[in-house]
Amino acid sequence: ASAMNKTADQLARDRTSFKVTLVFVKPLPIEEFRAFARGLGLAPTQNIVRGIDANGKPVTIGVPAIWARDKQGRLLIGQPVPGGEPFDTTALARMTEGHNPIRVVGVISTDVILDSATHAKVRDDSRVYAVDIMEQVLTDLVQQRYPGVPTNKIKAWSSLLYPAMERTGIAPKATP
């Protein structure tokens, strides 16, 4: 996490913007997360929620922001509404109800694009444990090796930092 934070500091000095996953110290309740994102002017593309299933097992759920729509009304997946809602509570409700309901613990991470000013605010926020830059670093490496590949065609795994934090006791484990 320390190395990621240092690399994020360097990216903030060297670039106009860069993609990161903000990993929280502990799960943020949905309303606190929404206030956090709005307060910093963040436009998340994906939020990862920690939940507990009916059997008492921890689960993660990917929940987007409210996505923009094109002129025909089709969803522009991965493109949040500028200045819009950072968390789709309706989507979360659909995912957590049903034959195997899930109790939501809170948001453990969020994928965003940062600029240097927003990065400075994020780094000073005590709720943020790490600025995970692994996806940006891997994207950069792929583009160096294969210069013609568009960034939107390069996919990397979501951050695994929070689950590792739970396993090592750095973050609280989700309990039934």
Side-chain angles (χ1 to χ4, degrees), residues 105-148:
V105 177
V107 179
I108 59 174
S109 67
T110 186
D111 294 343
V112 297
I113 304 291
L114 294 181
D115 58 25
S116 60
T118 308
H119 172 260
K121 292 176 191 172
V122 163
R123 289 279 289 148
D124 290 340
D125 194 298
S126 62
R127 295 170 287 193
V128 176
Y129 179 73
V131 180
D132 185 337
I133 46 70
M134 194 58 73
E135 186 173 349
Q136 181 68 62
V137 168
L138 292 173
T139 298
D140 292 349
L141 289 172
V142 169
Q143 285 190 311
Q144 285 172 6
R145 182 149 180 149
Y146 306 100

Side-chain angles (χ1 to χ4, degrees), residues 29-131:
I30 303 303
E31 286 308 312
E32 182 179 350
F33 171 76
R34 291 169 71 199
F36 166 83
R38 281 191 203 118
L40 292 174
L42 300 176
T45 55
Q46 179 79 328
N47 306 300
I48 303 298
V49 172
R50 173 60 83 222
I52 304 295
D53 72 11
N55 298 317
K57 303 241 189 266
V59 295
T60 54
I61 308 162
V63 181
I66 299 291
W67 285 330
R69 294 182 179 269
D70 67 12
K71 291 178 183 178
Q72 289 75 37
R74 294 178 298 227
L75 278 178
L76 298 173
I77 295 174
Q79 296 181 32
V81 173
E85 180 58 46
F87 191 93
D88 189 341
T89 55
T90 303
L92 177 65
R94 282 192 310 268
M95 290 182 244
T96 58
E97 296 171 356
H99 73 281
N100 190 11
I102 296 168
R103 181 179 61 83
V104 172
V105 177
V107 179
I108 59 174
S109 67
T110 186
D111 294 343
V112 297
I113 304 291
L114 294 181
D115 58 25
S116 60
T118 308
H119 172 260
K121 292 176 191 172
V122 163
R123 289 279 289 148
D124 290 340
D125 194 298
S126 62
R127 295 170 287 193
V128 176
Y129 179 73
V131 180

Side-chain angles (χ1 to χ4, degrees), residues 155-171:
K155 301 295 178 207
W157 287 96
S158 295
S159 177
L160 299 174
L161 184 56
Y162 195 86
M165 291 165 53
E166 286 178 321
R167 284 191 303 278
T168 60
I170 293 171

